[in-house]
Amino acid sequence: MNSPISVSTLNTQIKSLLETTFINVYVEGEISNLTYHNSGHIYFSIKDENSTISCVMFKGNTKYLKFQLEVGLKVVITGTITVYTPRGSYQLLCNKIEPSGQGALALAYEQLKAKLHAKGYFNPEIKKTLPKYPKKIALVTSPTGAAIEDMKKVASYRWPLVELVLIPTLVQGDEAKFDIVSSIKFAQTLDVDLIVVGRGGGSIEDLWSFNEEIVATAIYECQKPIISAVGHEIDFLISDFVADIRAATPSNAMEIALPDINEHRIYIDTLSNDFQNRLKNQLLQKQTQLENITKLFEQNSLKSKFNYIQEEISLLKKNFQIYIKNILQMKQNSLNVLQETYKSNHPDKKNLEGYAQVTIDNKITKLEELKIDDIITLQSSKTLVYCRVTNIKKQ
């Protein structure tokens, strides 16, 4: 009969057998009983319809985990089977965890985006306004990449008055996120109007530093306006949503940040022409007003008044002369009539044979006006005859 072995011995033999047999396990299941421990370790279980297995991911491996584990999330785990001898329990020691059906980075991206959106990092109301004419811009980027050369080139022809301050920064790799945060905080201490954070294009792994939460927090907490200019036009990073402005490319960041000097030259020319035209119109208007005032002054001057009075006197004098002339003419006409009357009534005109003037009380009277018994006088130049009308016969 065999001698019995201790429980510890049995658990040790099981541990040796399992850990040497299941060296590399690749298993899929749904997360449950999830615990993020203060030590940095993650304890959870994965299950399917019929079974459950305990899992652990130690702190050393969690730093490579790009996404947040969640209860109910289906994952694929790469690891080994390990046995905890004191309890005789076995668990899956996780070296790598990937979301089932999609990439870890894609899931991490969506998780962080939802988290920061809930915290208000993307709120449009907190976005800072870019300065219209920045004098100095800090560039948080690599000193050797194409991005810095593109930004310098665009800035030189678009607005050469601006000063660019390069803050050399790691933009790729595991340590890049810390360097980006440090550069943003340093840029805040400089006398700059604007900060551009970015780099050129690359794979999602190359650009991942700009999807890190600590970078998003640094951008969110920055007191100066920030433009996120990472990758190409099709790339959307977490930094793009948190920043005050998202630029499609580093070159586009300079186009957004800086005014176009040529447009301003045209605008200045337009202003100059408008100013000259307005000045010309103002001068013409003032000249017209001055001429009107001068005319008004001349009309109301002593000389003008004297001239007016002189004209009035001349007109009165002329009218007076015409009036006198008319009166004299009228008198002359009356005199001529009197003369003609006198001549026609002169006694010498009455010497015609057979003609005598008929008068009543020394007034010449027409024959048609005589009545019976009128006492009349028939007068020639030499003779007076007193008569009584005894009969009148109308012709």
Side-chain angles (χ1 to χ4, degrees):
M1 183 174 180
N2 294 330
S3 300
I5 60 175
S6 66
V7 174
S8 296
T9 300
L10 180 59
N11 282 341
T12 300
Q13 292 177 355
I14 293 173
K15 175 181 175 67
S16 177
L17 179 63
L18 290 177
E19 291 184 355
T20 56
T21 303
F22 297 96
I23 298 175
N24 191 17
V25 176
Y26 191 62
V27 61
E28 182 181 48
E30 182 181 306
I31 294 176
S32 64
N33 302 319
L34 176 64
T35 300
Y36 276 84
H37 198 271
N38 293 334
S39 62
H41 308 324
I42 304 175
Y43 298 95
F44 61 98
S45 299
I46 59 169
K47 64 180 182 178
D48 57 19
E49 295 84 354
N50 302 310
S51 300
T52 299
I53 184 172
S54 297
C55 304
V56 62
M57 175 175 261
F58 292 127
K59 182 179 179 180
N61 288 323
T62 58
K63 64 181 180 180
Y64 302 110
L65 189 61
K66 296 298 184 180
F67 63 98
Q68 188 81 8
L69 297 184
E70 298 175 353
V71 173
L73 181 65
K74 196 172 185 179
V75 295
V76 176
I77 299 174
T78 302
T80 60
I81 296 296
T82 182
V83 177
Y84 185 56
T85 305
R87 293 184 181 177
S89 61
Y90 74 92
Q91 59 187 356
L92 181 59
L93 179 60
C94 304
N95 298 322
K96 182 180 179 182
I97 303 177
E98 292 285 339
S100 179
Q102 61 176 318
L105 295 182
L107 178 59
Y109 175 88
E110 294 300 331
Q111 287 180 335
L112 182 58
K113 183 179 177 183
K115 177 182 178 180
L116 298 183
H117 184 273
K119 293 174 67 174
Y121 277 33
F122 307 157
N123 191 348
E125 297 178 357
I126 65 173
K127 302 295 184 182
K128 293 178 283 296
T129 303
L130 301 185
K132 190 172 183 179
Y133 300 102
K135 297 179 180 178
K136 188 181 293 186
I137 299 178
L139 304 180
V140 177
T141 189
S142 169
T144 59
I148 181 63
E149 297 302 325
D150 292 341
M151 288 190 283
K152 288 165 59 178
K153 181 179 179 181
V154 173
S156 65
Y157 73 75
R158 188 171 180 86
W159 194 254
L161 302 176
V162 71
E163 179 182 352
L164 301 180
V165 180
L166 173 62
I167 303 178
T169 307
L170 291 175
V171 293
Q172 184 174 332
D174 293 337
E175 300 300 317
K177 58 185 177 182
F178 303 110
D179 204 32
I180 294 170
V181 171
S182 176
S183 295
I184 292 174
K185 292 181 178 179
F186 175 68
Q188 286 192 88
T189 66
L190 302 178
D191 183 24
V192 296
D193 304 303
L194 176 65
I195 301 172
V196 176
V197 178
R199 56 154 289 165
S203 65
I204 186 171
E205 291 81 9
D206 294 337
L207 305 179
W208 190 254
S209 298
F210 297 92
N211 284 328
E212 297 286 358
E213 184 172 359
I214 61 170
V215 173
T217 300
I219 294 174
Y220 176 76
E221 294 177 349
C222 183
Q223 299 301 311
K224 295 183 181 292
I226 289 184
I227 296 178
S228 174
V230 184
H232 300 299
E233 187 172 355
I234 60 174
D235 298 317
F236 281 84
L237 288 302
I238 296 297
S239 62
D240 294 336
F241 296 105
V242 183
D244 299 295
I245 292 291
R246 183 242 177 198
T249 62
S251 297
N252 181 237
M254 292 294 98
E255 294 172 350
I256 294 173
L258 299 174
D260 188 343
I261 193 170
N262 291 322
E263 290 182 359
H264 281 67
R265 285 168 177 163
I266 295 173
Y267 178 65
I268 291 173
D269 289 341
T270 302
L271 287 180
S272 177
N273 292 334
D274 290 344
F275 175 77
Q276 292 178 2
N277 291 333
R278 290 187 180 185
L279 180 60
K280 183 178 180 180
N281 292 334
Q282 287 287 336
L283 291 175
L284 290 175
Q285 184 179 359
K286 296 301 181 183
Q287 183 177 356
T288 302
Q289 291 178 353
L290 181 60
E291 291 175 353
N292 292 336
I293 292 173
T294 301
K295 291 180 180 179
L296 184 62
F297 176 78
E298 291 175 352
Q299 291 174 358
N300 292 278
S301 65
L302 291 176
K303 180 179 179 181
S304 177
K305 289 182 179 181
F306 281 127
N307 290 337
Y308 177 75
I309 293 173
Q310 184 64 41
E311 291 176 357
E312 288 290 318
I313 292 174
S314 298
L315 182 60
L316 289 173
K317 183 178 179 180
K318 182 178 180 181
N319 291 337
F320 179 74
Q321 291 175 347
I322 294 174
Y323 178 72
I324 294 299
K325 184 177 180 180
N326 290 337
I327 291 178
L328 291 176
Q329 184 64 45
M330 290 174 60
K331 298 300 181 182
Q332 183 64 46
N333 293 337
S334 298
L335 181 60
N336 292 337
V337 171
L338 289 175
Q339 287 178 347
E340 292 298 326
T341 303
Y342 174 76
K343 289 179 181 180
S344 63
N345 291 308
H346 194 275
D348 292 339
K349 296 293 185 178
K350 301 176 182 179
N351 289 334
L352 295 176
E353 187 175 351
Y355 286 89
Q357 189 178 65
V358 179
T359 62
I360 298 176
D361 296 329
N362 294 321
K363 293 181 181 180
I364 299 174
T365 303
K366 296 180 180 180
L367 290 177
E368 292 79 5
E369 296 176 355
L370 296 179
K371 297 186 292 291
I372 300 298
D373 292 330
D374 282 343
I375 302 300
I376 63 173
T377 301
L378 299 177
Q379 180 182 2
S380 67
S381 60
K382 296 180 180 180
T383 306
L384 286 173
V385 177
Y386 298 95
C387 306
R388 177 187 298 274
V389 179
T390 58
N391 187 24
I392 296 175
K393 185 178 181 181
K394 302 293 186 178
Q395 295 291 335

